[in-house]
Amino acid sequence: MNALRVSQTFSRVAYQGLRLTQATTINYKPLVALSVRNYSSEVSVDGLFVQIKNDMKSFMRNKERTKLAVVKSIISDITYAEKAQGKPVKSDSEIAVLIQSAIKKRKESIASFESAGREDLAVNEKEEVDILQSYLPEQLSEREIEAEVLKAIKDTGAQSVKDMGKVMKQIQLDPAVAPKSVVAELVKKILASAK
């Protein structure tokens, strides 16, 4: 509606700091919801972020508390990464890297809880890991990653662990399907055994 006709029985109306008399025509612009946050400006309609947001609504409706807590933590990680980088987390690959980081933290917690004899807390963390992994694309096997590492070592002529940086630059694997930590570990292991 472009104009709002105020025709109340009272003589004056307070509207956005203005005092308007009866039967005054004012331009009316609907307020935009300021609390809506744009976590990612270039996410495709069927992207991972959209799936996570839709799942959050579904988990809220169905009162699935553990799953809801996990997806909220993913959204929180995305928001934090965007603030830290000063730019939107755009791609599914970037989101997958954040999810892998969350999985790594939970696996460390599982190890701590198990060593402390707190199996009940370890079970909760394992459940959260399973939920997080459901959002990741199919991961490359260690053998597939190793093949890429060996190719990169051959291409760069790397001889020892000192050449690890050259090898890592040469490897062009999507971190969403091959976590950098796994790749780096394999590179180090292979170069160390090449002595």
Side-chain angles (χ1 to χ4, degrees):
M1 124 185 342
N2 293 331
L4 174 66
R5 185 112 179 130
V6 180
S7 56
Q8 305 294 341
T9 55
F10 46 84
S11 61
R12 294 188 183 272
V13 177
Y15 182 78
Q16 291 187 350
L18 301 173
R19 294 184 63 83
L20 305 172
T21 58
Q22 183 177 356
T24 302
T25 301
I26 59 171
N27 288 331
Y28 172 78
K29 293 180 182 174
L31 295 175
V32 176
L34 298 176
S35 61
V36 175
R37 295 177 74 172
N38 185 12
Y39 291 99
S40 186
S41 59
E42 296 180 25
V43 174
S44 61
V45 176
D46 57 347
L48 183 56
F49 183 76
V50 174
Q51 179 191 344
I52 290 167
K53 291 289 278 184
N54 289 338
D55 285 353
M56 184 176 76
K57 292 173 191 172
S58 172
F59 298 151
M60 286 171 85
R61 274 194 299 271
N62 299 328
K63 294 183 172 57
E64 297 179 73
R65 291 179 189 214
T66 304
K67 290 180 179 179
L68 179 60
V70 171
V71 293
K72 281 185 173 181
S73 75
I74 296 170
I75 292 170
S76 174
D77 289 345
I78 292 168
T79 305
Y80 181 79
E82 287 180 340
K83 286 180 182 175
Q85 295 170 13
K87 61 177 185 174
V89 173
K90 299 175 186 175
S91 68
D92 289 357
S93 180
E94 289 175 300
I95 294 171
V97 169
L98 293 173
I99 293 172
Q100 287 169 345
S101 175
I103 289 171
K104 183 181 176 188
K105 287 176 192 169
R106 282 169 174 81
K107 285 184 175 177
E108 289 167 0
S109 296
I110 290 167
S112 298
F113 290 141
E114 286 178 342
S115 66
R118 293 300 309 267
E119 195 60 40
D120 55 327
L121 296 174
V123 168
N124 292 343
E125 294 291 319
K126 286 175 185 174
E127 188 180 348
E128 290 187 7
V129 167
D130 291 341
I131 296 164
L132 287 165
Q133 285 176 333
S134 71
Y135 289 102
L136 291 176
E138 188 176 340
Q139 303 291 286
L140 291 178
S141 68
E142 192 170 317
R143 185 174 288 178
E144 290 169 317
I145 297 171
E146 189 176 342
E148 286 294 321
V149 169
L150 291 169
K151 182 178 180 294
I153 289 171
K154 183 180 175 187
D155 291 347
T156 58
Q159 300 291 320
S160 69
V161 178
K162 291 178 183 176
D163 301 318
M164 187 170 170
K166 285 195 293 187
V167 177
M168 289 299 291
K169 284 180 186 173
Q170 182 70 24
I171 296 169
Q172 298 296 316
L173 291 174
D174 183 355
V177 294
K180 285 190 177 181
S181 58
V182 174
V183 175
E185 203 175 295
L186 272 171
V187 170
K188 193 173 183 179
K189 180 179 158 188
I190 293 167
L191 288 174
S193 65
K195 288 179 180 178

